[in-house]
Tab-separated table of all heavy atoms in Angstrom:
chain	number	residue	atom	x	y	z
A	323	VAL	N	5.215	-6.101	-8.291
A	323	VAL	CA	5.109	-4.699	-8.688
A	323	VAL	C	3.954	-4.535	-9.687
A	323	VAL	O	3.129	-3.621	-9.551
A	323	VAL	CB	6.439	-4.196	-9.299
A	323	VAL	CG1	6.294	-2.775	-9.829
A	323	VAL	CG2	7.566	-4.281	-8.279
A	324	ASP	N	3.894	-5.425	-10.683
A	324	ASP	CA	2.822	-5.366	-11.684
A	324	ASP	C	1.448	-5.538	-11.052
A	324	ASP	O	0.497	-4.826	-11.403
A	324	ASP	CB	3.018	-6.439	-12.762
A	324	ASP	CG	4.209	-6.172	-13.656
A	324	ASP	OD1	4.704	-5.022	-13.689
A	324	ASP	OD2	4.657	-7.127	-14.322
A	325	TYR	N	1.312	-6.493	-10.134
A	325	TYR	CA	0.020	-6.727	-9.484
A	325	TYR	C	-0.403	-5.505	-8.665
A	325	TYR	O	-1.581	-5.137	-8.652
A	325	TYR	CB	0.078	-7.963	-8.589
A	325	TYR	CG	-0.047	-9.298	-9.293
A	325	TYR	CD1	0.112	-9.439	-10.670
A	325	TYR	CD2	-0.308	-10.438	-8.564
A	325	TYR	CE1	0.007	-10.673	-11.290
A	325	TYR	CE2	-0.421	-11.686	-9.170
A	325	TYR	CZ	-0.265	-11.796	-10.531
A	325	TYR	OH	-0.373	-13.024	-11.142
A	326	CYS	N	0.536	-4.876	-7.972
A	326	CYS	CA	0.189	-3.675	-7.206
A	326	CYS	C	-0.250	-2.549	-8.130
A	326	CYS	O	-1.261	-1.883	-7.877
A	326	CYS	CB	1.371	-3.224	-6.349
A	326	CYS	SG	1.685	-4.285	-4.927
A	327	SER	N	0.486	-2.361	-9.204
A	327	SER	CA	0.148	-1.318	-10.166
A	327	SER	C	-1.228	-1.569	-10.780
A	327	SER	O	-2.056	-0.655	-10.886
A	327	SER	CB	1.227	-1.263	-11.251
A	327	SER	OG	0.926	-0.280	-12.193
A	328	GLN	N	-1.493	-2.805	-11.182
A	328	GLN	CA	-2.795	-3.142	-11.768
A	328	GLN	C	-3.917	-2.971	-10.743
A	328	GLN	O	-5.008	-2.500	-11.089
A	328	GLN	CB	-2.795	-4.562	-12.321
A	328	GLN	CG	-4.098	-4.966	-12.981
A	328	GLN	CD	-4.471	-4.070	-14.153
A	328	GLN	OE1	-3.615	-3.640	-14.925
A	328	GLN	NE2	-5.753	-3.778	-14.289
A	329	THR	N	-3.664	-3.318	-9.494
A	329	THR	CA	-4.666	-3.128	-8.443
A	329	THR	C	-4.996	-1.648	-8.283
A	329	THR	O	-6.173	-1.272	-8.179
A	329	THR	CB	-4.175	-3.730	-7.107
A	329	THR	OG1	-3.988	-5.138	-7.286
A	329	THR	CG2	-5.158	-3.478	-5.976
A	330	ARG	N	-3.973	-0.793	-8.303
A	330	ARG	CA	-4.222	0.652	-8.183
A	330	ARG	C	-5.050	1.164	-9.351
A	330	ARG	O	-5.999	1.941	-9.169
A	330	ARG	CB	-2.900	1.424	-8.078
A	330	ARG	CG	-2.185	1.208	-6.757
A	330	ARG	CD	-1.020	2.162	-6.572
A	330	ARG	NE	0.051	1.968	-7.521
A	330	ARG	CZ	1.077	1.129	-7.348
A	330	ARG	NH1	1.149	0.362	-6.260
A	330	ARG	NH2	2.035	1.049	-8.235
A	331	MET	N	-4.720	0.734	-10.565
A	331	MET	CA	-5.478	1.215	-11.732
A	331	MET	C	-6.898	0.651	-11.738
A	331	MET	O	-7.850	1.348	-12.092
A	331	MET	CB	-4.737	0.885	-13.030
A	331	MET	CG	-3.450	1.665	-13.205
A	331	MET	SD	-3.563	3.450	-12.866
A	331	MET	CE	-4.703	3.984	-14.114
A	332	ALA	N	-7.074	-0.600	-11.318
A	332	ALA	CA	-8.420	-1.174	-11.222
A	332	ALA	C	-9.235	-0.426	-10.165
A	332	ALA	O	-10.429	-0.158	-10.361
A	332	ALA	CB	-8.339	-2.668	-10.892
A	333	PHE	N	-8.595	-0.071	-9.065
A	333	PHE	CA	-9.233	0.720	-8.005
A	333	PHE	C	-9.712	2.059	-8.564
A	333	PHE	O	-10.855	2.474	-8.332
A	333	PHE	CB	-8.234	0.915	-6.864
A	333	PHE	CG	-8.579	2.012	-5.905
A	333	PHE	CD1	-9.585	1.833	-4.963
A	333	PHE	CD2	-7.874	3.206	-5.918
A	333	PHE	CE1	-9.895	2.850	-4.062
A	333	PHE	CE2	-8.175	4.213	-5.024
A	333	PHE	CZ	-9.192	4.047	-4.098
A	334	LEU	N	-8.844	2.741	-9.291
A	334	LEU	CA	-9.235	4.030	-9.871
A	334	LEU	C	-10.381	3.845	-10.863
A	334	LEU	O	-11.363	4.602	-10.836
A	334	LEU	CB	-8.026	4.695	-10.538
A	334	LEU	CG	-6.908	5.147	-9.594
A	334	LEU	CD1	-5.713	5.673	-10.387
A	334	LEU	CD2	-7.404	6.196	-8.605
A	335	ASN	N	-10.269	2.843	-11.748
A	335	ASN	CA	-11.340	2.585	-12.727
A	335	ASN	C	-12.668	2.300	-12.037
A	335	ASN	O	-13.709	2.825	-12.439
A	335	ASN	CB	-10.975	1.404	-13.632
A	335	ASN	CG	-9.964	1.779	-14.680
A	335	ASN	OD1	-9.923	2.914	-15.151
A	335	ASN	ND2	-9.136	0.829	-15.058
A	336	LYS	N	-12.647	1.444	-11.031
A	336	LYS	CA	-13.865	1.063	-10.306
A	336	LYS	C	-14.537	2.286	-9.686
A	336	LYS	O	-15.747	2.334	-9.538
A	336	LYS	CB	-13.508	0.036	-9.227
A	336	LYS	CG	-14.609	-0.356	-8.318
A	336	LYS	CD	-15.383	-1.503	-8.875
A	336	LYS	CE	-16.374	-1.992	-7.822
A	336	LYS	NZ	-17.262	-2.953	-8.322
A	337	ASN	N	-13.725	3.277	-9.344
A	337	ASN	CA	-14.234	4.485	-8.703
A	337	ASN	C	-14.355	5.663	-9.668
A	337	ASN	O	-14.322	6.821	-9.247
A	337	ASN	CB	-13.362	4.828	-7.494
A	337	ASN	CG	-13.584	3.849	-6.375
A	337	ASN	OD1	-14.589	3.925	-5.686
A	337	ASN	ND2	-12.677	2.893	-6.216
A	338	LYS	N	-14.470	5.341	-10.961
A	338	LYS	CA	-14.700	6.333	-12.020
A	338	LYS	C	-13.590	7.378	-12.118
A	338	LYS	O	-13.826	8.545	-12.375
A	338	LYS	CB	-16.067	6.991	-11.837
A	338	LYS	CG	-17.205	5.992	-11.935
A	338	LYS	CD	-18.535	6.620	-11.679
A	338	LYS	CE	-19.696	5.685	-11.799
A	338	LYS	NZ	-19.646	4.415	-11.191
A	339	ILE	N	-12.345	6.902	-11.902
A	339	ILE	CA	-11.161	7.750	-12.034
A	339	ILE	C	-10.178	7.050	-12.967
A	339	ILE	O	-8.991	6.963	-12.698
A	339	ILE	CB	-10.506	8.023	-10.655
A	339	ILE	CG1	-11.534	8.544	-9.653
A	339	ILE	CG2	-9.379	9.034	-10.794
A	339	ILE	CD1	-11.001	8.666	-8.235
A	340	GLY	N	-10.675	6.522	-14.071
A	340	GLY	CA	-9.835	5.822	-15.034
A	340	GLY	C	-9.019	6.778	-15.881
A	340	GLY	O	-9.033	8.003	-15.684
A	341	LEU	N	-8.310	6.224	-16.840
A	341	LEU	CA	-7.415	7.039	-17.683
A	341	LEU	C	-8.147	8.148	-18.419
A	341	LEU	O	-7.623	9.257	-18.553
A	341	LEU	CB	-6.679	6.139	-18.675
A	341	LEU	CG	-5.593	5.260	-18.071
A	341	LEU	CD1	-4.983	4.356	-19.142
A	341	LEU	CD2	-4.520	6.095	-17.406
A	342	THR	N	-9.358	7.887	-18.894
A	342	THR	CA	-10.106	8.922	-19.609
A	342	THR	C	-10.356	10.123	-18.710
A	342	THR	O	-10.123	11.271	-19.096
A	342	THR	CB	-11.446	8.358	-20.134
A	342	THR	OG1	-11.157	7.270	-21.006
A	342	THR	CG2	-12.245	9.416	-20.870
Side-chain angles (χ1 to χ4, degrees):
V323 175
D324 291 343
Y325 280 16
C326 287
S327 180
Q328 182 59 38
T329 298
R330 290 190 295 271
M331 292 314 297
F333 163 75
L334 293 175
N335 284 329
K336 174 88 172 172
N337 288 284
K338 298 177 179 46
I339 308 173
L341 288 177
T342 301

